[in-house]
mmCIF file with all atom_site columns, all heavy atoms in Angstrom:
data_model
loop_
_atom_site.group_PDB
_atom_site.id
_atom_site.type_symbol
_atom_site.label_atom_id
_atom_site.label_alt_id
_atom_site.label_comp_id
_atom_site.label_asym_id
_atom_site.label_entity_id
_atom_site.label_seq_id
_atom_site.pdbx_PDB_ins_code
_atom_site.Cartn_x
_atom_site.Cartn_y
_atom_site.Cartn_z
_atom_site.occupancy
_atom_site.B_iso_or_equiv
_atom_site.pdbx_formal_charge
_atom_site.auth_seq_id
_atom_site.auth_comp_id
_atom_site.auth_asym_id
_atom_site.auth_atom_id
_atom_site.pdbx_PDB_model_num
ATOM 1   N N   . ILE U 1 1  ? -26.062 -16.031 185.260 1.00 91.00 ? 122 ILE U N   1
ATOM 2   C CA  . ILE U 1 1  ? -25.477 -14.944 184.458 1.00 91.00 ? 122 ILE U CA  1
ATOM 3   C C   . ILE U 1 1  ? -25.258 -13.714 185.335 1.00 91.00 ? 122 ILE U C   1
ATOM 4   O O   . ILE U 1 1  ? -24.210 -13.088 185.308 1.00 91.00 ? 122 ILE U O   1
ATOM 5   C CB  . ILE U 1 1  ? -26.361 -14.609 183.243 1.00 91.00 ? 122 ILE U CB  1
ATOM 6   C CG1 . ILE U 1 1  ? -26.299 -15.737 182.217 1.00 91.00 ? 122 ILE U CG1 1
ATOM 7   C CG2 . ILE U 1 1  ? -25.948 -13.291 182.595 1.00 91.00 ? 122 ILE U CG2 1
ATOM 8   C CD1 . ILE U 1 1  ? -27.213 -15.579 181.020 1.00 91.00 ? 122 ILE U CD1 1
ATOM 9   N N   . ALA U 1 2  ? -26.278 -13.361 186.127 1.00 91.00 ? 123 ALA U N   1
ATOM 10  C CA  . ALA U 1 2  ? -26.165 -12.210 187.035 1.00 91.00 ? 123 ALA U CA  1
ATOM 11  C C   . ALA U 1 2  ? -25.018 -12.392 188.024 1.00 91.00 ? 123 ALA U C   1
ATOM 12  O O   . ALA U 1 2  ? -24.260 -11.460 188.279 1.00 91.00 ? 123 ALA U O   1
ATOM 13  C CB  . ALA U 1 2  ? -27.486 -12.012 187.778 1.00 91.00 ? 123 ALA U CB  1
ATOM 14  N N   . PHE U 1 3  ? -24.862 -13.605 188.564 1.00 92.00 ? 124 PHE U N   1
ATOM 15  C CA  . PHE U 1 3  ? -23.771 -13.889 189.492 1.00 92.00 ? 124 PHE U CA  1
ATOM 16  C C   . PHE U 1 3  ? -22.421 -13.687 188.827 1.00 92.00 ? 124 PHE U C   1
ATOM 17  O O   . PHE U 1 3  ? -21.531 -13.023 189.366 1.00 92.00 ? 124 PHE U O   1
ATOM 18  C CB  . PHE U 1 3  ? -23.861 -15.315 190.055 1.00 92.00 ? 124 PHE U CB  1
ATOM 19  C CG  . PHE U 1 3  ? -22.593 -15.733 190.736 1.00 92.00 ? 124 PHE U CG  1
ATOM 20  C CD1 . PHE U 1 3  ? -22.295 -15.292 192.020 1.00 92.00 ? 124 PHE U CD1 1
ATOM 21  C CD2 . PHE U 1 3  ? -21.659 -16.548 190.095 1.00 92.00 ? 124 PHE U CD2 1
ATOM 22  C CE1 . PHE U 1 3  ? -21.093 -15.638 192.644 1.00 92.00 ? 124 PHE U CE1 1
ATOM 23  C CE2 . PHE U 1 3  ? -20.464 -16.911 190.676 1.00 92.00 ? 124 PHE U CE2 1
ATOM 24  C CZ  . PHE U 1 3  ? -20.192 -16.445 191.967 1.00 92.00 ? 124 PHE U CZ  1
ATOM 25  N N   . MET U 1 4  ? -22.249 -14.268 187.636 1.00 93.00 ? 125 MET U N   1
ATOM 26  C CA  . MET U 1 4  ? -20.937 -14.188 186.967 1.00 93.00 ? 125 MET U CA  1
ATOM 27  C C   . MET U 1 4  ? -20.594 -12.749 186.591 1.00 93.00 ? 125 MET U C   1
ATOM 28  O O   . MET U 1 4  ? -19.448 -12.320 186.732 1.00 93.00 ? 125 MET U O   1
ATOM 29  C CB  . MET U 1 4  ? -20.902 -15.101 185.735 1.00 93.00 ? 125 MET U CB  1
ATOM 30  C CG  . MET U 1 4  ? -20.862 -16.567 186.101 1.00 93.00 ? 125 MET U CG  1
ATOM 31  S SD  . MET U 1 4  ? -20.644 -17.675 184.701 1.00 93.00 ? 125 MET U SD  1
ATOM 32  C CE  . MET U 1 4  ? -22.266 -17.613 183.944 1.00 93.00 ? 125 MET U CE  1
ATOM 33  N N   . LEU U 1 5  ? -21.573 -11.987 186.093 1.00 94.00 ? 126 LEU U N   1
ATOM 34  C CA  . LEU U 1 5  ? -21.327 -10.587 185.747 1.00 94.00 ? 126 LEU U CA  1
ATOM 35  C C   . LEU U 1 5  ? -20.929 -9.795  186.989 1.00 94.00 ? 126 LEU U C   1
ATOM 36  O O   . LEU U 1 5  ? -19.985 -8.990  186.928 1.00 94.00 ? 126 LEU U O   1
ATOM 37  C CB  . LEU U 1 5  ? -22.567 -9.969  185.108 1.00 94.00 ? 126 LEU U CB  1
ATOM 38  C CG  . LEU U 1 5  ? -22.902 -10.416 183.702 1.00 94.00 ? 126 LEU U CG  1
ATOM 39  C CD1 . LEU U 1 5  ? -24.279 -9.973  183.288 1.00 94.00 ? 126 LEU U CD1 1
ATOM 40  C CD2 . LEU U 1 5  ? -21.848 -9.890  182.698 1.00 94.00 ? 126 LEU U CD2 1
ATOM 41  N N   . SER U 1 6  ? -21.607 -10.027 188.093 1.00 93.00 ? 127 SER U N   1
ATOM 42  C CA  . SER U 1 6  ? -21.275 -9.319  189.326 1.00 93.00 ? 127 SER U CA  1
ATOM 43  C C   . SER U 1 6  ? -19.926 -9.741  189.882 1.00 93.00 ? 127 SER U C   1
ATOM 44  O O   . SER U 1 6  ? -19.104 -8.906  190.260 1.00 93.00 ? 127 SER U O   1
ATOM 45  C CB  . SER U 1 6  ? -22.381 -9.596  190.367 1.00 93.00 ? 127 SER U CB  1
ATOM 46  O OG  . SER U 1 6  ? -22.043 -9.050  191.607 1.00 93.00 ? 127 SER U OG  1
ATOM 47  N N   . ASP U 1 7  ? -19.706 -11.051 189.934 1.00 94.00 ? 128 ASP U N   1
ATOM 48  C CA  . ASP U 1 7  ? -18.450 -11.571 190.486 1.00 94.00 ? 128 ASP U CA  1
ATOM 49  C C   . ASP U 1 7  ? -17.246 -11.106 189.684 1.00 94.00 ? 128 ASP U C   1
ATOM 50  O O   . ASP U 1 7  ? -16.191 -10.805 190.239 1.00 94.00 ? 128 ASP U O   1
ATOM 51  C CB  . ASP U 1 7  ? -18.510 -13.097 190.513 1.00 94.00 ? 128 ASP U CB  1
ATOM 52  C CG  . ASP U 1 7  ? -17.353 -13.708 191.266 1.00 94.00 ? 128 ASP U CG  1
ATOM 53  O OD1 . ASP U 1 7  ? -17.212 -13.425 192.473 1.00 94.00 ? 128 ASP U OD1 1
ATOM 54  O OD2 . ASP U 1 7  ? -16.571 -14.463 190.640 1.00 94.00 ? 128 ASP U OD2 1
ATOM 55  N N   . ALA U 1 8  ? -17.388 -11.015 188.353 1.00 95.00 ? 129 ALA U N   1
ATOM 56  C CA  . ALA U 1 8  ? -16.294 -10.579 187.489 1.00 95.00 ? 129 ALA U CA  1
ATOM 57  C C   . ALA U 1 8  ? -16.201 -9.059  187.395 1.00 95.00 ? 129 ALA U C   1
ATOM 58  O O   . ALA U 1 8  ? -15.302 -8.539  186.753 1.00 95.00 ? 129 ALA U O   1
ATOM 59  C CB  . ALA U 1 8  ? -16.469 -11.162 186.089 1.00 95.00 ? 129 ALA U CB  1
ATOM 60  N N   . ALA U 1 9  ? -17.127 -8.354  188.028 1.00 95.00 ? 130 ALA U N   1
ATOM 61  C CA  . ALA U 1 9  ? -17.199 -6.892  187.988 1.00 95.00 ? 130 ALA U CA  1
ATOM 62  C C   . ALA U 1 9  ? -17.265 -6.371  186.552 1.00 95.00 ? 130 ALA U C   1
ATOM 63  O O   . ALA U 1 9  ? -16.622 -5.399  186.192 1.00 95.00 ? 130 ALA U O   1
ATOM 64  C CB  . ALA U 1 9  ? -16.013 -6.274  188.744 1.00 95.00 ? 130 ALA U CB  1
ATOM 65  N N   . ALA U 1 10 ? -18.102 -7.032  185.752 1.00 95.00 ? 131 ALA U N   1
ATOM 66  C CA  . ALA U 1 10 ? -18.273 -6.606  184.358 1.00 95.00 ? 131 ALA U CA  1
ATOM 67  C C   . ALA U 1 10 ? -19.037 -5.305  184.298 1.00 95.00 ? 131 ALA U C   1
ATOM 68  O O   . ALA U 1 10 ? -20.063 -5.132  184.962 1.00 95.00 ? 131 ALA U O   1
ATOM 69  C CB  . ALA U 1 10 ? -19.027 -7.694  183.585 1.00 95.00 ? 131 ALA U CB  1
ATOM 70  N N   . ALA U 1 11 ? -18.537 -4.380  183.507 1.00 86.00 ? 132 ALA U N   1
ATOM 71  C CA  . ALA U 1 11 ? -19.166 -3.063  183.382 1.00 86.00 ? 132 ALA U CA  1
ATOM 72  C C   . ALA U 1 11 ? -20.225 -3.053  182.283 1.00 86.00 ? 132 ALA U C   1
ATOM 73  O O   . ALA U 1 11 ? -21.163 -2.250  182.336 1.00 86.00 ? 132 ALA U O   1
ATOM 74  C CB  . ALA U 1 11 ? -18.119 -2.013  183.081 1.00 86.00 ? 132 ALA U CB  1
ATOM 75  N N   . LEU U 1 12 ? -20.060 -3.930  181.288 1.00 94.00 ? 133 LEU U N   1
ATOM 76  C CA  . LEU U 1 12 ? -20.945 -3.954  180.144 1.00 94.00 ? 133 LEU U CA  1
ATOM 77  C C   . LEU U 1 12 ? -21.267 -5.383  179.769 1.00 94.00 ? 133 LEU U C   1
ATOM 78  O O   . LEU U 1 12 ? -20.525 -6.305  180.126 1.00 94.00 ? 133 LEU U O   1
ATOM 79  C CB  . LEU U 1 12 ? -20.294 -3.293  178.920 1.00 94.00 ? 133 LEU U CB  1
ATOM 80  C CG  . LEU U 1 12 ? -19.884 -1.841  179.001 1.00 94.00 ? 133 LEU U CG  1
ATOM 81  C CD1 . LEU U 1 12 ? -19.029 -1.459  177.796 1.00 94.00 ? 133 LEU U CD1 1
ATOM 82  C CD2 . LEU U 1 12 ? -21.099 -0.960  179.066 1.00 94.00 ? 133 LEU U CD2 1
ATOM 83  N N   . LEU U 1 13 ? -22.335 -5.554  178.999 1.00 94.00 ? 134 LEU U N   1
ATOM 84  C CA  . LEU U 1 13 ? -22.705 -6.842  178.455 1.00 94.00 ? 134 LEU U CA  1
ATOM 85  C C   . LEU U 1 13 ? -23.058 -6.659  177.000 1.00 94.00 ? 134 LEU U C   1
ATOM 86  O O   . LEU U 1 13 ? -23.961 -5.891  176.677 1.00 94.00 ? 134 LEU U O   1
ATOM 87  C CB  . LEU U 1 13 ? -23.886 -7.434  179.225 1.00 94.00 ? 134 LEU U CB  1
ATOM 88  C CG  . LEU U 1 13 ? -24.459 -8.728  178.676 1.00 94.00 ? 134 LEU U CG  1
ATOM 89  C CD1 . LEU U 1 13 ? -23.443 -9.861  178.769 1.00 94.00 ? 134 LEU U CD1 1
ATOM 90  C CD2 . LEU U 1 13 ? -25.738 -9.105  179.429 1.00 94.00 ? 134 LEU U CD2 1
ATOM 91  N N   . LEU U 1 14 ? -22.339 -7.343  176.117 1.00 96.00 ? 135 LEU U N   1
ATOM 92  C CA  . LEU U 1 14 ? -22.677 -7.333  174.694 1.00 96.00 ? 135 LEU U CA  1
ATOM 93  C C   . LEU U 1 14 ? -23.617 -8.488  174.414 1.00 96.00 ? 135 LEU U C   1
ATOM 94  O O   . LEU U 1 14 ? -23.407 -9.607  174.892 1.00 96.00 ? 135 LEU U O   1
ATOM 95  C CB  . LEU U 1 14 ? -21.421 -7.505  173.828 1.00 96.00 ? 135 LEU U CB  1
ATOM 96  C CG  . LEU U 1 14 ? -20.339 -6.454  173.936 1.00 96.00 ? 135 LEU U CG  1
ATOM 97  C CD1 . LEU U 1 14 ? -19.237 -6.739  172.916 1.00 96.00 ? 135 LEU U CD1 1
ATOM 98  C CD2 . LEU U 1 14 ? -20.898 -5.061  173.739 1.00 96.00 ? 135 LEU U CD2 1
ATOM 99  N N   . THR U 1 15 ? -24.658 -8.213  173.646 1.00 94.00 ? 136 THR U N   1
ATOM 100 C CA  . THR U 1 15 ? -25.611 -9.251  173.299 1.00 94.00 ? 136 THR U CA  1
ATOM 101 C C   . THR U 1 15 ? -26.222 -8.951  171.941 1.00 94.00 ? 136 THR U C   1
ATOM 102 O O   . THR U 1 15 ? -25.744 -8.074  171.207 1.00 94.00 ? 136 THR U O   1
ATOM 103 C CB  . THR U 1 15 ? -26.685 -9.391  174.405 1.00 94.00 ? 136 THR U CB  1
ATOM 104 O OG1 . THR U 1 15 ? -27.445 -10.559 174.144 1.00 94.00 ? 136 THR U OG1 1
ATOM 105 C CG2 . THR U 1 15 ? -27.557 -8.173  174.510 1.00 94.00 ? 136 THR U CG2 1
ATOM 106 N N   . GLN U 1 16 ? -27.261 -9.686  171.593 1.00 94.00 ? 137 GLN U N   1
ATOM 107 C CA  . GLN U 1 16 ? -28.001 -9.496  170.348 1.00 94.00 ? 137 GLN U CA  1
ATOM 108 C C   . GLN U 1 16 ? -29.448 -9.198  170.681 1.00 94.00 ? 137 GLN U C   1
ATOM 109 O O   . GLN U 1 16 ? -29.927 -9.533  171.766 1.00 94.00 ? 137 GLN U O   1
ATOM 110 C CB  . GLN U 1 16 ? -27.943 -10.785 169.517 1.00 94.00 ? 137 GLN U CB  1
ATOM 111 C CG  . GLN U 1 16 ? -26.537 -11.171 169.105 1.00 94.00 ? 137 GLN U CG  1
ATOM 112 C CD  . GLN U 1 16 ? -26.462 -12.647 168.783 1.00 94.00 ? 137 GLN U CD  1
ATOM 113 O OE1 . GLN U 1 16 ? -26.834 -13.483 169.592 1.00 94.00 ? 137 GLN U OE1 1
ATOM 114 N NE2 . GLN U 1 16 ? -25.945 -12.973 167.608 1.00 94.00 ? 137 GLN U NE2 1
ATOM 115 N N   . ALA U 1 17 ? -30.147 -8.610  169.740 1.00 90.00 ? 138 ALA U N   1
ATOM 116 C CA  . ALA U 1 17 ? -31.545 -8.246  169.969 1.00 90.00 ? 138 ALA U CA  1
ATOM 117 C C   . ALA U 1 17 ? -32.378 -9.438  170.389 1.00 90.00 ? 138 ALA U C   1
ATOM 118 O O   . ALA U 1 17 ? -33.238 -9.335  171.254 1.00 90.00 ? 138 ALA U O   1
ATOM 119 C CB  . ALA U 1 17 ? -32.136 -7.605  168.703 1.00 90.00 ? 138 ALA U CB  1
ATOM 120 N N   . GLN U 1 18 ? -32.131 -10.611 169.804 1.00 87.00 ? 139 GLN U N   1
ATOM 121 C CA  . GLN U 1 18 ? -32.918 -11.812 170.138 1.00 87.00 ? 139 GLN U CA  1
ATOM 122 C C   . GLN U 1 18 ? -32.707 -12.273 171.575 1.00 87.00 ? 139 GLN U C   1
ATOM 123 O O   . GLN U 1 18 ? -33.533 -12.968 172.132 1.00 87.00 ? 139 GLN U O   1
ATOM 124 C CB  . GLN U 1 18 ? -32.588 -12.950 169.193 1.00 87.00 ? 139 GLN U CB  1
ATOM 125 C CG  . GLN U 1 18 ? -31.155 -13.455 169.314 1.00 87.00 ? 139 GLN U CG  1
ATOM 126 C CD  . GLN U 1 18 ? -30.804 -14.475 168.249 1.00 87.00 ? 139 GLN U CD  1
ATOM 127 O OE1 . GLN U 1 18 ? -31.448 -14.574 167.219 1.00 87.00 ? 139 GLN U OE1 1
ATOM 128 N NE2 . GLN U 1 18 ? -29.768 -15.257 168.501 1.00 87.00 ? 139 GLN U NE2 1
ATOM 129 N N   . VAL U 1 19 ? -31.631 -11.837 172.208 1.00 88.00 ? 140 VAL U N   1
ATOM 130 C CA  . VAL U 1 19 ? -31.319 -12.222 173.581 1.00 88.00 ? 140 VAL U CA  1
ATOM 131 C C   . VAL U 1 19 ? -31.545 -11.055 174.545 1.00 88.00 ? 140 VAL U C   1
ATOM 132 O O   . VAL U 1 19 ? -31.769 -11.258 175.737 1.00 88.00 ? 140 VAL U O   1
ATOM 133 C CB  . VAL U 1 19 ? -29.834 -12.707 173.683 1.00 88.00 ? 140 VAL U CB  1
ATOM 134 C CG1 . VAL U 1 19 ? -29.483 -13.147 175.089 1.00 88.00 ? 140 VAL U CG1 1
ATOM 135 C CG2 . VAL U 1 19 ? -29.551 -13.816 172.681 1.00 88.00 ? 140 VAL U CG2 1
ATOM 136 N N   . CYS U 1 20 ? -31.520 -9.865  174.032 1.00 82.00 ? 141 CYS U N   1
ATOM 137 C CA  . CYS U 1 20 ? -31.512 -8.638  174.831 1.00 82.00 ? 141 CYS U CA  1
ATOM 138 C C   . CYS U 1 20 ? -32.673 -8.532  175.829 1.00 82.00 ? 141 CYS U C   1
ATOM 139 O O   . CYS U 1 20 ? -32.457 -8.165  176.982 1.00 82.00 ? 141 CYS U O   1
ATOM 140 C CB  . CYS U 1 20 ? -31.511 -7.420  173.883 1.00 82.00 ? 141 CYS U CB  1
ATOM 141 S SG  . CYS U 1 20 ? -31.037 -5.896  174.684 1.00 82.00 ? 141 CYS U SG  1
ATOM 142 N N   . THR U 1 21 ? -33.869 -8.848  175.431 1.00 78.00 ? 142 THR U N   1
ATOM 143 C CA  . THR U 1 21 ? -35.017 -8.677  176.320 1.00 78.00 ? 142 THR U CA  1
ATOM 144 C C   . THR U 1 21 ? -34.907 -9.575  177.543 1.00 78.00 ? 142 THR U C   1
ATOM 145 O O   . THR U 1 21 ? -35.327 -9.193  178.631 1.00 78.00 ? 142 THR U O   1
ATOM 146 C CB  . THR U 1 21 ? -36.342 -8.977  175.581 1.00 78.00 ? 142 THR U CB  1
ATOM 147 O OG1 . THR U 1 21 ? -36.270 -10.270 174.994 1.00 78.00 ? 142 THR U OG1 1
ATOM 148 C CG2 . THR U 1 21 ? -36.600 -7.925  174.516 1.00 78.00 ? 142 THR U CG2 1
ATOM 149 N N   . ARG U 1 22 ? -34.310 -10.752 177.397 1.00 78.00 ? 143 ARG U N   1
ATOM 150 C CA  . ARG U 1 22 ? -34.123 -11.669 178.487 1.00 78.00 ? 143 ARG U CA  1
ATOM 151 C C   . ARG U 1 22 ? -33.126 -11.153 179.521 1.00 78.00 ? 143 ARG U C   1
ATOM 152 O O   . ARG U 1 22 ? -33.135 -11.554 180.673 1.00 78.00 ? 143 ARG U O   1
ATOM 153 C CB  . ARG U 1 22 ? -33.630 -13.011 177.923 1.00 78.00 ? 143 ARG U CB  1
ATOM 154 C CG  . ARG U 1 22 ? -33.970 -14.171 178.780 1.00 78.00 ? 143 ARG U CG  1
ATOM 155 C CD  . ARG U 1 22 ? -33.508 -15.468 178.115 1.00 78.00 ? 143 ARG U CD  1
ATOM 156 N NE  . ARG U 1 22 ? -32.931 -16.249 179.184 1.00 78.00 ? 143 ARG U NE  1
ATOM 157 C CZ  . ARG U 1 22 ? -31.661 -16.496 179.356 1.00 78.00 ? 143 ARG U CZ  1
ATOM 158 N NH1 . ARG U 1 22 ? -30.784 -16.064 178.519 1.00 78.00 ? 143 ARG U NH1 1
ATOM 159 N NH2 . ARG U 1 22 ? -31.254 -17.201 180.377 1.00 78.00 ? 143 ARG U NH2 1
ATOM 160 N N   . LEU U 1 23 ? -32.245 -10.255 179.101 1.00 78.00 ? 144 LEU U N   1
ATOM 161 C CA  . LEU U 1 23 ? -31.159 -9.780  179.961 1.00 78.00 ? 144 LEU U CA  1
ATOM 162 C C   . LEU U 1 23 ? -31.373 -8.348  180.457 1.00 78.00 ? 144 LEU U C   1
ATOM 163 O O   . LEU U 1 23 ? -30.521 -7.821  181.142 1.00 78.00 ? 144 LEU U O   1
ATOM 164 C CB  . LEU U 1 23 ? -29.838 -9.854  179.185 1.00 78.00 ? 144 LEU U CB  1
ATOM 165 C CG  . LEU U 1 23 ? -29.489 -11.231 178.617 1.00 78.00 ? 144 LEU U CG  1
ATOM 166 C CD1 . LEU U 1 23 ? -28.273 -11.112 177.720 1.00 78.00 ? 144 LEU U CD1 1
ATOM 167 C CD2 . LEU U 1 23 ? -29.265 -12.234 179.722 1.00 78.00 ? 144 LEU U CD2 1
ATOM 168 N N   . ALA U 1 24 ? -32.494 -7.759  180.119 1.00 71.00 ? 145 ALA U N   1
ATOM 169 C CA  . ALA U 1 24 ? -32.725 -6.331  180.431 1.00 71.00 ? 145 ALA U CA  1
ATOM 170 C C   . ALA U 1 24 ? -32.721 -6.036  181.933 1.00 71.00 ? 145 ALA U C   1
ATOM 171 O O   . ALA U 1 24 ? -32.340 -4.939  182.330 1.00 71.00 ? 145 ALA U O   1
ATOM 172 C CB  . ALA U 1 24 ? -34.049 -5.898  179.834 1.00 71.00 ? 145 ALA U CB  1
#
């Protein structure tokens, strides 16, 4: 996930509370 966000130059990530802590 970190690779794809970086490679795509994503500025934001939308998620849900149940997933949020894993992506903090």
Side-chain angles (χ1 to χ4, degrees):
I122 290 175
F124 166 78
M125 289 186 286
L126 288 168
S127 174
D128 189 61
L133 299 170
L134 175 64
L135 298 185
T136 191
Q137 298 158 305
Q139 66 186 20
V140 181
C141 197
T142 54
R143 206 177 138 252
L144 304 172

